[in-house]
Amino acid sequence: MSRKTWLITGASSGLGKALAEHVLAHGDNVVATASSTQATTELAARYPETALAVKLDVTDAEDRVAAVRATEERFGGIDILVNNAAIDFVGALEEQEESDYRRLFEVNFFGAVALTRVVLPGMRGRRSGTIVNVSSMDGLASLPANGYYSASKFALEGFTEALWQEIEPIGLHAMIIQPGSFRTGIENRTKVSGEAIADYADTAGAFRAMMSSLTPEMFPGDPERAAEAIHQAVNAPQPAHWVVLGSDAQRRIGVKLDQLRAAFEAGRELAFSTDFPGAAENAVL
């Protein structure tokens, strides 16, 4: 079996690093990218034949083009793109600074979208390739204090759902990964944004207060097991569109789906009442 080439963003830590390690251990090529290459260079040194460390700030257009070009020059093309790079800021929606939540969207959503658009022409030309967009359980079930992060992941999921409908007829695939809480050190990298507002003390404020007491033991997910699951999902004969990782994600997403179904069924009569009489049978979709 020929080696596949993976380009993984945010590969210097967390799930991205674990996935890069796992893929390399199984014999594929990896272009490990991050805004700083210290950790990825160390990884590439251990796999000199199959790994390449590339500096990539996903918000920088020149970096995106250069990373794809470097991958093509070294390995010939990208088989799997993993949009994993993400940042988070904690705070109520009213509290957070505009510069912070705009930066969050630039990394978590617009960066992933732009890199996907750079990679797609090569995949289309080969009629082969997979886009893996790492969302979160927050991409379907939002919480107070994390609203902008959730919104960026909701947007990424909507983008990916449209993407797979557009690209699968030409032989490509796209999937959403929805991880729960994994022991990736995320509690040390997540920053608070804005000044606390007393009226949110019991909602977003409670989450802010909890941040200082988080320990790795509070995160049930194992990054290495997640990497194995993603690797298997990508290589499945019929790749799934949604891949939920972690018992907490399975539970929390399940609660949200139950709530949606209940609200959907309860609103059926109201929904139908807003149509022109007899117009439903001529609906476009």
Side-chain angles (χ1 to χ4, degrees), residues 4 43 51 74 106 135 138 160 163 177 228 234 241 273:
K4 294 181 179 179
L43 176 63
R74 174 71 181 273
E106 288 295 335
S135 178
D138 297 77
T160 311
L163 178 65
I177 308 296
E228 181 178 4
V234 169
H241 289 137
S273 74

Side-chain angles (χ1 to χ4, degrees), residues 66-67 78-79 92 134 142 153 174-175 200-201 213-214 220 237 242 251 273:
I78 298 168
D79 297 298
V134 180
S142 191
K153 295 300 189 178
M175 66 173 61
Y200 301 121
S213 61
L214 291 176
W242 292 275
R251 180 175 59 253
S273 74

